[in-house]
Amino acid sequence: MKLIFLGTGGSWPSKLRNVPSLAIKYESEVVLFDCGEGTQRQFMHSTISFMQINHIFITHFHGDHFLGLPGLIQSMYLNERTAELNIYGPEGTGYFVSTLLKMGYFKPSFEIYFHDLKNGDVVEFEKYNIKAVEVEHNVPSFAYSMEEPPRPGKFNKPRALELGVPEGKLFSKLQRGESVEVNGKTITPDMVLGPVRSGRKFVYTGDTRPCTAVTELAKDCDVLVHDSTFDEVLEEKANRYGHSSCTQAAKIALEAGVNRLFLTHISPRYEEGVVLEEQARKIFPNTTSAFDLLEYEIRLEK
Amino acid sequence: MKLIFLGTGGSWPSKLRNVPSLAIKYESEVVLFDCGEGTQRQFMHSTISFMQINHIFITHFHGDHFLGLPGLIQSMYLNERTAELNIYGPEGTGYFVSTLLKMGYFKPSFEIYFHDLKNGDVVEFEKYNIKAVEVEHNVPSFAYSMEEPPRPGKFNKPRALELGVPEGKLFSKLQRGESVEVNGKTITPDMVLGPVRSGRKFVYTGDTRPCTAVTELAKDCDVLVHDSTFDEVLEEKANRYGHSSCTQAAKIALEAGVNRLFLTHISPRYEEGVVLEEQARKIFPNTTSAFDLLEYEIRLEK
């Protein structure tokens, strides 16, 4: 589960930062969160291809978060995509995106499905699920979590041998959570497996002022990517426009007990994110100010 | 009259080239021709600002030529533009652009006017005019010329003195094309002015297969910026999709007697434009393969 920051700016692009987009590479799949103007070109500078995208989740319909969609989809078409594409977002997704695709002379060669999600909706995929939670912006906006199901606990091999289970097929059965019979005795998985391990979890807030919905969604996650439009001096202004300061993002990371915080949606007024990072680290040391094309792998806990 | 190539690629962007956009800096004004996705960010890497744009002319409504409009306009709004903006293009301009501006939650703070032009229409501005001419693409498409009115001929100072005109105000009057009285004799402008000098003229084809409409429009122009999607080996394919090869662009430049040819709308298949330039120069030596952020000043003839 690798995060690839394609655009870490907010409102409008700057020389250094493109407008929001964040790709998650999960095995051979790519899930895209937000798709600001120029996202398709950001892909070209990254280690992944936009032809790999399986699903797109839009946080809200402010231009900087979705205006890269029509160009991206047209380029997928010109590069002969045939697989269907699913686009998810808050109310209005179907209307906005389907209208956007009628702009100019264009007809996609593959199926595009739109999904207007509701607060709390969970979209289930084979190996992970994505949950949408309403946040506090000035238009309908979601934060998203992407989470793997829990994995069975660690297999205690010495204990299994002690109980007389022979190495081989029966080990695998126990690891899959099935009971086995050995010399007329039933060995249940809980006798040889450690406590269930939680799957990997990442949360992306989109645009929001600090809110408990995010704190709850981000509970114990591996990575929180949080709106950090301004530094703490401009906190009041950030909140007025439905955004957060870096310090507020750090407080939420601390309260939610996340492992790592990335600051994003950084205003064009900041040449670099150093100030934001320094202020946030006073509260939550494990903070990084994201920058375009930064990659971060969330590793499976052993 | 300075050309600033903001995007010289075609169909979709590449690492090296953004999709089409060409700005003309004319004194303090900026006229934009086409506005592919990412044009606002290309401005940031150039010597001019998108806040200076007075008028926008779109050649046609294929995504690579206009999908940068909504983001550009929203960024103008966020940067507090108040001046009205005029957008011109072929039939459908009003429909496509006004719909595009309804995408997402956005209401511009300044007036935007749309103009559906017809073949042969000339839009008159104070110091230049812009003419739209239908070309041969697979959707309604224009080439545009931007041209200054002719300037009065060169002032022959020795001849004026010889005719008894005293240096000063009367010189200016004659230079402006007015007759003057000197010692009861009428001196007319044609007695002291050389032949009328043509104004500067630039022609941008947008996407087109080779056509006589362009040859006629480009007659004797200073600069022709021509579709050159493929090299001569792929000429048949270029024409099939409504485009030109570099060689065909060169032939038109030669036939129209232009001063300088720039090749643009270069397919992502070409890393650089050297091949295109070399092939074209065999026919029309004064050819340059345009690249992003290239600038070229059309100077006033002395």
Side-chain angles (χ1 to χ4, degrees), chain A:
Chain A
M1 197 189 252
K2 186 162 74 175
L3 283 70
I4 297 149
F5 291 89
L6 296 169
T8 58
S11 306
W12 65 89
S14 68
K15 271 190 191 180
L16 281 181
R17 295 179 195 278
N18 203 43
V19 282
S21 187
L22 174 55
I24 308 292
K25 177 101 168 72
Y26 189 97
E27 296 175 4
S28 65
E29 299 180 12
V30 170
V31 182
L32 192 66
F33 292 91
D34 283 338
C35 183
E37 179 183 354
T39 294
Q40 60 165 321
R41 200 171 185 207
Q42 293 296 96
F43 266 99
M44 290 168 190
H45 293 285
S46 81
T47 55
I48 50 174
S49 158
F50 61 70
M51 295 301 281
Q52 297 174 281
I53 296 173
N54 296 72
H55 315 286
I56 300 178
F57 287 79
I58 301 295
T59 59
H60 65 295
F61 287 91
H62 275 150
D64 53 334
H65 291 256
F66 79 100
L67 285 174
L69 280 177
L72 176 72
I73 290 168
Q74 295 192 20
S75 294
M76 285 172 166
Y77 158 76
L78 291 166
N79 284 278
E80 297 169 10
R81 180 183 177 117
T82 52
E84 67 173 50
L85 180 67
N86 286 276
I87 302 175
Y88 305 83
E91 59 178 270
T93 298
Y95 168 74
F96 286 133
V97 182
S98 61
T99 312
L100 207 59
L101 291 177
K102 283 183 214 129
M103 290 296 87
Y105 301 95
F106 172 67
K107 208 168 161 40
S109 52
F110 50 95
E111 293 298 331
I112 303 179
Y113 298 104
F114 313 112
H115 309 269
D116 285 38
L117 300 178
K118 286 187 300 296
N119 186 24
D121 275 359
V122 178
V123 188
E124 302 276 359
F125 298 101
E126 194 190 336
K127 296 188 173 172
Y128 50 83
N129 68 60
I130 293 177
K131 182 175 182 180
V133 163
E134 210 168 280
V135 293
E136 297 183 13
H137 197 43
N138 44 22
V139 299
S141 292
F142 285 148
Y144 293 108
S145 67
M146 178 169 173
E147 188 173 6
E148 294 172 316
R151 291 181 299 141
K154 217 168 161 179
F155 184 66
N156 190 336
K157 184 173 163 185
R159 179 74 186 129
L161 292 171
E162 213 176 281
L163 290 165
V165 186
E167 223 163 322
K169 277 185 184 172
L170 296 186
F171 270 32
S172 311
K173 267 193 144 175
L174 284 162
Q175 284 165 340
R176 283 198 307 269
E178 296 168 35
S179 298
V180 299
E181 294 283 322
V182 180
N183 308 325
K185 248 174 38 191
T186 301
I187 313 289
T188 55
D190 62 289
M191 294 162 76
V192 293
L193 293 179
V196 165
R197 294 170 291 183
S198 52
R200 289 171 288 187
K201 180 178 173 189
F202 130 85
V203 169
Y204 169 55
T205 65
D207 291 2
T208 185
R209 60 176 76 84
C211 66
T212 53
V214 166
T215 317
E216 282 162 21
L217 186 68
K219 195 82 192 129
D220 300 327
C221 71
D222 295 284
V223 168
L224 170 62
V225 180
H226 201 292
D227 178 327
S228 168
T229 302
F230 294 135
D231 72 313
E232 60 192 20
V233 179
L234 296 169
E235 189 163 288
E236 189 277 322
K237 186 179 174 186
N239 296 170
R240 191 162 11 107
Y241 289 101
H243 294 291
S244 303
S245 74
C246 56
T247 316
Q248 291 174 320
K251 282 176 187 163
I252 285 180
L254 186 69
E255 207 184 330
V258 315
N259 182 32
R260 181 175 287 276
L261 169 66
F262 285 100
L263 306 176
T264 196
H265 200 272
I266 292 164
S267 159
R269 73 167 59 212
Y270 303 100
E271 276 285 301
E272 296 190 17
V274 181
V275 178
L276 304 169
E277 198 172 78
E278 280 175 0
Q279 291 178 2
R281 282 183 180 173
K282 285 182 197 151
I283 290 156
F284 189 80
N286 212 2
T287 300
T288 302
S289 179
F291 49 87
D292 287 18
L293 305 178
L294 174 68
E295 298 193 357
Y296 179 78
E297 175 86 38
I298 307 180
R299 293 187 189 284
L300 256 188
E301 221 185 305
K302 296 284 178 211

Side-chain angles (χ1 to χ4, degrees), chain B residues 22-36:
Chain B
L22 174 55
I24 306 295
K25 177 100 168 71
Y26 188 97
E27 297 175 3
S28 65
E29 298 178 14
V30 169
V31 183
L32 192 67
F33 292 91
D34 282 338
C35 183

Side-chain angles (χ1 to χ4, degrees), chain B residues 274-291:
Chain B
V274 181
V275 178
L276 304 169
E277 198 171 80
E278 281 175 359
Q279 291 178 1
R281 280 181 180 173
K282 286 184 195 149
I283 290 157
F284 189 79
N286 212 1
T287 300
T288 302
S289 178
F291 48 87

Side-chain angles (χ1 to χ4, degrees), chain B residues 246-266:
Chain B
C246 56
T247 315
Q248 291 174 319
K251 282 177 187 161
I252 285 182
L254 186 71
E255 206 184 330
V258 315
N259 183 30
R260 180 175 286 277
L261 169 68
F262 286 100
L263 306 175
T264 196
H265 201 271
I266 293 163

Side-chain angles (χ1 to χ4, degrees), chain B residues 31 58 86 167 185 240 249 264 297:
Chain B
V31 183
I58 301 295
N86 287 276
E167 221 164 321
K185 249 177 38 195
R240 190 160 15 106
T264 196
E297 176 86 39

